[in-house]
Amino acid sequence: MTNAPILDTLQRPLHDLRISVTDRCTFRCTYCMPKEVFGRDYVFLSRQELLSFEEITRLTRVFANLGVKKVRLTGGEPMLRRDFEKLVEMLAGIEGLEDIAMTTNGSLMTPERARALKAAGLNRVTVSLDSLDETVFQSMNDVGFPVAKVLQAIENAADAGLAPVKIDMVVKKGVNEDHILPMARHFRNSGHILRFIEYMDVGSTNGWRMEDVVSAKEILETLSTEWALEPVEPNYFGEVAERYRYTDGGGEAGIIASVTRAFCGACTRARLSADGELYTCLFGVKGHDLRTLLRDGATDEELAAAVGAIWGNRTDRYSEIRSEDTIGLRKVEMSKIGG
Ligand code: SAM
């Protein structure tokens, strides 16, 4: 097999793979896994339905042979998956992969686990944190999880060498836009990189409305009331965050403007759900079942041919064509395919 990248119908290479390792989470963020839907009666995936570590590793190797260089582990809350470090170690052994990262809410990131993840081969982490205000953050995570523990998790990750740590803040109008400046003040000069994410219409359970989005423009204007910022060149083709630098040397910040400045044209990401469905868009309605192929005994060549065909036929550009008609689609939940 070769390492040549494959292209979709819009000439976008397959470069990144996001792997959701569980659909369960320690939080019930109101904009992602609202309690009314993901409550006591919600039926999560069974152990049998989840891809095993061997299955995930085998598929990832197939993706690496098709040109994937970067893997991001996500969920649900990825650190909830039992023996998660073992999976990282298995993935780190795959030839051709250059970067293994994780997105986490930090609730389980003790110093020991941070060190174990680093030793297993994890390179970097992104920690989600929507506010420094205790009342606001706890009402957003909806399980009363304290801010201080997430801040400690960020330090634990950085101390273990999982750096630079990126901090992702989803900004929702009327909920936490007043916390943009306090978050920026806190993370300037910290060595960590704070990124603001426009609230997105992923899934179909969060009651998304365009009016609830705080746009990248508004976020930048808010930041500009206190500091001068200048744009920084992207690190690589397809980087999701627009990068900015504080001109006074306070470090870097980012904005992920997936609603108001869609970046579908440079989207090189495939997403694998915890039960082995391949999605070619964060706003996908339907996945492609790779688990059945795996469990029915497909060879690596057959798996590669299936993935190649799916990517080769890819036409997705949801954010560019978002409209009143698309918003109501029954899209896959973010807790199923991760961020
Ligand atoms: N549990 C992990 C975490 O909290 O980082 C990983 C999974 S979580 C689905 C990944 C990211 O998606 C988090 O930063 C979360 O805030 C973000 N997210 C979830 N729903 C979102 C939405 N509707 N709009 C924007 N970001 C969202």
Side-chain angles (χ1 to χ4, degrees), residues 310-329:
I310 293 165
W311 192 264
N313 286 323
R314 179 183 190 237
T315 55
D316 308 85
R317 49 187 200 96
Y318 177 88
S319 290
E320 288 178 353
I321 56 170
R322 177 183 282 110
S323 68
E324 284 306 315
D325 297 337
T326 58
I327 286 165
L329 292 172

Side-chain angles (χ1 to χ4, degrees), residues 199-276:
Y199 172 48
M200 296 182 285
D201 53 331
V202 281
S204 53
T205 57
N206 65 6
W208 185 90
R209 299 174 315 162
M210 189 66 205
E211 302 92 272
D212 297 330
V213 177
V214 181
S215 69
K217 184 168 172 285
E218 292 170 286
I219 294 169
L220 212 50
E221 280 166 5
T222 303
L223 293 173
S224 304
T225 60
E226 226 163 283
W227 307 283
L229 291 120
E230 62 186 14
V232 182
E233 282 296 303
N235 282 312
Y236 52 87
F237 174 79
E239 186 168 34
V240 292
E242 297 170 17
R243 299 171 63 204
Y244 294 91
R245 178 190 301 125
Y246 296 103
T247 56
D248 66 359
E252 200 178 309
I255 302 185
I256 302 177
S258 32
V259 178
T260 64
R261 294 181 199 153
F263 39 82
C264 306
C267 181
T268 57
R269 286 170 292 284
R271 300 180 141 86
L272 186 63
S273 69
D275 56 353

Side-chain angles (χ1 to χ4, degrees), residues 17-24 32-33 38 42 45 72-78 103 200 202-203 269-288 331-339:
L17 179 63
R18 304 222 163 167
I19 306 174
S20 172
V21 296
T22 175
D23 60 338
R24 291 166 205 252
C32 185
M33 290 184 77
F38 297 90
Y42 186 82
L45 293 170
R72 176 170 294 277
L73 298 164
T74 176
E77 173 45 45
T103 303
M200 296 182 285
V202 281
R269 286 170 292 284
R271 300 180 141 86
L272 186 63
S273 69
D275 56 353
E277 286 196 292
L278 179 63
Y279 285 83
T280 52
C281 178
L282 178 57
F283 302 93
V285 173
K286 204 179 155 326
H288 303 265
K331 302 181 288 298
V332 60
E333 294 301 322
M334 191 111 164
S335 55
K336 184 163 179 206
I337 55 168

Side-chain angles (χ1 to χ4, degrees), residues 42-56:
Y42 186 82
V43 184
F44 288 96
L45 293 170
S46 67
R47 204 176 164 71
Q48 180 55 28
E49 286 172 300
L50 291 176
L51 290 186
S52 68
F53 288 176
E54 288 70 24
E55 288 171 329
I56 294 175

